[in-house]
Amino acid sequence: MEFSYEVEGGNFAKAGNAASGVKKVLKQLNVDPKVIKRIVVALYEGEVNVVAHAYKGKVLVDIDTSRIYIRIEDEGPGIPDIDLAMQVGYSTASAMVREMGFGAGMGLPNMKRNADAIEISSKVGEGTVVELTTKLTS
Amino acid sequence: MKVCDIIEKLNLKVIGGEEGLQNEVTGGYTSDLLSDVMGNVDEGQIWITLQTHRNVMAVASLKEVAAVIIVKDLEADENTISQSNDEGIPLLSSSMEAYELSGELYQLLKG
């Protein structure tokens, strides 16, 4: 099963749409609620990253019987130093984003913690691709 | 203890999401960082915060919290209230500060 969502840069009102949609699908598939929570946390953080940092992005979701694969790709500034970005507390978010309670440097670490596998590739000035894979059966 | 019992005991105002007033409360979590809440709040807990924007309800819904309490009588945004109604997750408000309110809720749930 494959589907996709568009994510608009700067539009916080829509952040969480993909996570909410994926949650509904996984519930219908009777996936363990604990597994659903991890997936949804990782995806929500990914959406917020696109909204907070990029111009626009897309979330592609592919679900089969054993695993979920999520690809979050954006057109944006890219991440110059991925290791640094993975450090808890490191953030380049704007003051406005921080005031909303985002931009605490917890997004990528949260994503890593809540996925079985994470791949990040990024080109400065072009954009970032984050791929998350998680097993659906415990 | 149910959300409606806590509303009565802590003198909270209901701003939205009345459908969820019978939700069972298992504990609480106090934080204004959405990623922190995303990572650490548990299903069935009451989330205490000073944030008032709509993303609060997005996080509340994804994590299936029992209710959200906004502190210090801060006013929730219009679309925060409407999303609370859509999701059926109670959005409550208190005149207390987060410290005081967390303490009161802790006592109540421990007792």
Side-chain angles (χ1 to χ4, degrees):
Chain A
M1 185 191 316
E2 276 180 49
F3 41 97
S4 67
Y5 300 87
E6 304 290 329
V7 185
E8 277 172 53
N11 188 351
F12 276 95
K14 284 192 185 164
N17 278 7
S20 170
V22 166
K23 186 180 171 188
K24 280 192 195 115
V25 172
L26 294 176
K27 271 195 168 172
Q28 279 166 2
L29 294 172
N30 280 322
V31 173
D32 180 350
K34 280 192 189 125
V35 177
I36 297 182
K37 290 233 171 64
R38 294 182 71 221
I39 293 165
V40 159
V41 168
L43 177 51
Y44 182 75
E45 293 287 4
E47 280 183 79
V48 167
N49 278 347
V50 174
V51 173
H53 297 285
Y55 313 120
K56 64 173 184 173
K58 203 174 190 181
V59 175
L60 299 156
V61 182
D62 178 23
I63 301 172
D64 67 24
T65 49
S66 65
R67 63 105 183 91
I68 181 167
Y69 166 81
I70 299 170
R71 182 185 164 94
I72 305 157
E73 51 184 41
D74 71 48
E75 291 172 28
I79 305 170
D81 185 340
I82 292 174
D83 288 338
L84 187 58
M86 290 304 292
Q87 282 179 22
V88 175
Y90 179 82
S91 177
T92 58
S94 68
M96 187 274 274
V97 168
R98 286 170 200 258
E99 264 173 39
M100 291 178 77
F102 296 115
M106 300 170 91
L108 282 171
N110 259 358
M111 289 170 78
K112 190 178 179 187
R113 208 147 45 89
N114 286 288
D116 292 346
I118 182 167
E119 288 282 337
I120 306 171
S121 55
S122 190
K123 272 195 188 143
V124 172
E126 287 183 28
T128 300
V129 178
V130 179
E131 293 165 286
L132 304 164
T133 309
T134 298
K135 275 191 272 177
L136 294 180
T137 46
S138 35
Chain B
M1 194 172 290
K2 289 187 168 137
V3 172
C4 54
D5 303 323
I6 289 167
I7 290 169
E8 202 189 303
K9 294 207 160 87
L10 299 184
N11 198 18
L12 307 172
K13 254 190 294 187
V14 180
I15 310 171
E18 288 191 20
E19 210 181 296
L21 292 182
Q22 299 299 317
N23 287 349
E24 200 61 45
V25 180
T26 56
Y29 196 75
T30 306
S31 179
D32 305 318
L33 287 177
L34 273 68
S35 281
D36 175 49
V37 176
M38 213 50 208
N40 296 298
V41 79
D42 285 326
E43 181 180 342
Q45 290 185 332
I46 283 191
W47 173 19
I48 296 171
T49 184
L50 56 68
Q51 296 288 354
T52 55
H53 56 82
R54 175 184 180 159
N55 297 87
V56 167
M57 290 319 299
V59 171
S61 155
L62 291 172
K63 298 294 288 191
E64 298 179 15
V65 302
V68 176
I69 309 178
I70 296 178
V71 296
K72 298 197 288 186
D73 278 334
L74 292 165
E75 260 181 58
D77 298 356
E78 208 48 56
N79 54 19
T80 311
I81 299 169
S82 58
Q83 196 166 345
S84 147
N85 289 328
D86 291 348
E87 305 278 358
I89 297 175
L91 182 63
L92 313 171
S93 117
S94 169
S95 56
M96 285 183 260
E97 294 182 356
Y99 170 75
E100 208 182 342
L101 182 61
S102 303
E104 296 268 351
L105 181 64
Y106 184 82
Q107 288 300 333
L108 205 54
L109 293 173
K110 282 281 154 187

